[in-house]
Amino acid sequence: MNRSEYHAPRDGTAAALHLSETIVDITDRPNFLTRLTAEEFLDVRSRGRAFAVNAGDSVFFQGDPHDGIYVLESGCVRTFYSGPSGREITLAYWTPGHFVGGPEVFGGGTHMWSGTAIEASELLHIKGNDLRYLMGRFPSLAVSIVEGLVFKGKCYSALVHMLGTRSVLERLAQLLVILADLDGVGQDAEVRIERDLTHEELANMVGSTRQWVTASLDRFQKQGLVRLKGRQLVVIDVERLKRMANG
């Protein structure tokens, strides 16, 4: 399975993914594009620069100057922070309808984290000055930007809470619960996760190492919590994982 085959959530749009204490924090999300009329959207696009990137390509780098935002029209972009040691922590996986490149949406300062395409993606880059003009012209766009910033603030606050209050094992259990809810397909009493994440990618989300995640998933499998089939992950007992996530 490739990553363009994400199962859409209840409203028909692909779900962004981040580590959070509740599923509601993730599913109650804004969509940058839906507030705009067709005419407004064409006007916004005329002010931006549309471009495509391949899987693995960088959209922006930590430390580079801010120059507006990148609206994700298709595909998926991972945002992550790199520490001085080179260790990475994933902030979120963003999907169509979201924008990346904040929080300095009008430009200025430098990027506090990086953004990389997880799959072939199409984006619209809107420079800060153009965005300021468009927000003054289209109130619906201004509301969308504010909603997006609020949502991102909640995402990153939730991540800080998880990193500061739960053990790595509890964070991994919670991530599996989230994946089962957002991307799960039922198989009798089991849930097959239809999102392709490597053990290293899981580790970057919970703040651990690939080796630790591999060992922990193997332990979960022996405990009857999950089943591994190559890179296919099946959750067998969601309720036990929920209890484990809550300590």
Side-chain angles (χ1 to χ4, degrees):
M1 185 191 80
N2 63 51
R3 294 185 182 123
S4 63
E5 294 173 338
Y6 292 156
H7 277 239
R10 296 170 185 85
D11 67 357
T13 59
L17 173 65
H18 65 93
L19 192 58
S20 175
E21 293 190 351
T22 67
I23 303 298
V24 174
D25 292 344
I26 300 172
T27 56
D28 184 20
R29 64 200 178 284
N31 186 309
F32 182 89
L33 304 175
T34 55
R35 282 189 177 273
L36 302 179
T37 66
E39 182 179 352
E40 289 172 343
F41 178 63
L42 289 175
D43 206 338
V44 169
R45 276 193 119 255
S46 71
R47 286 267 176 171
R49 176 180 67 89
F51 67 101
V53 291
N54 295 318
D57 287 350
S58 292
V59 179
F60 56 90
F61 289 99
Q62 182 176 322
D64 280 358
H66 269 290
D67 187 18
I69 61 171
Y70 301 86
V71 182
L72 189 56
E73 297 186 318
S74 69
C76 181
V77 170
R78 171 188 174 239
T79 53
F80 61 95
Y81 173 78
S82 299
S85 67
R87 181 93 168 262
E88 295 179 359
I89 181 74
T90 294
L91 304 177
Y93 288 88
W94 299 108
T95 48
H98 292 280
F99 65 87
V100 294
E104 297 281 0
V105 296
F106 296 132
T110 58
H111 285 285
M112 300 172 65
W113 47 77
S114 300
T116 297
I118 296 302
E119 60 185 59
S121 303
E122 296 178 332
L123 300 104
L124 181 70
H125 180 217
I126 307 174
K127 290 188 175 182
N129 289 338
D130 290 319
L131 183 62
R132 190 186 295 273
Y133 165 80
L134 289 166
M135 288 174 68
R137 185 174 177 188
F138 301 128
S140 57
L141 177 62
V143 171
S144 294
I145 292 293
V146 172
E147 287 182 340
L149 290 173
V150 169
F151 181 73
K152 292 177 192 304
K154 288 182 177 180
C155 289
Y156 300 148
S157 293
L159 176 60
V160 170
H161 294 164
M162 291 291 292
L163 292 174
T165 62
R166 299 203 190 187
S167 69
V168 184
L169 193 67
E170 289 168 347
R171 295 197 294 268
L172 179 59
Q174 177 68 1
L175 179 57
L176 296 179
V177 170
I178 289 171
L179 288 169
D181 186 88
L182 292 182
D183 301 292
V185 176
Q187 294 179 232
D188 299 322
E190 302 177 349
V191 179
R192 186 179 71 253
I193 294 176
E194 291 286 281
R195 191 183 295 238
D196 188 8
L197 293 171
T198 66
H199 290 186
E200 182 173 1
E201 289 167 330
L202 293 173
N204 286 337
M205 290 201 71
V206 299
S208 185
T209 64
R210 178 187 59 78
Q211 293 86 348
W212 182 90
V213 166
T214 298
S216 297
L217 288 176
D218 183 61
R219 185 162 63 251
F220 283 179
Q221 183 167 229
K222 292 175 181 176
Q223 293 172 345
L225 296 170
V226 302
R227 185 171 70 253
L228 303 173
K229 288 177 142 183
R231 289 180 59 174
Q232 180 73 69
L233 181 59
V234 177
V235 175
I236 299 173
D237 197 331
V238 175
E239 293 305 316
R240 282 176 61 197
L241 281 174
K242 287 180 179 178
R243 291 194 295 272
M244 181 179 293
N246 290 322

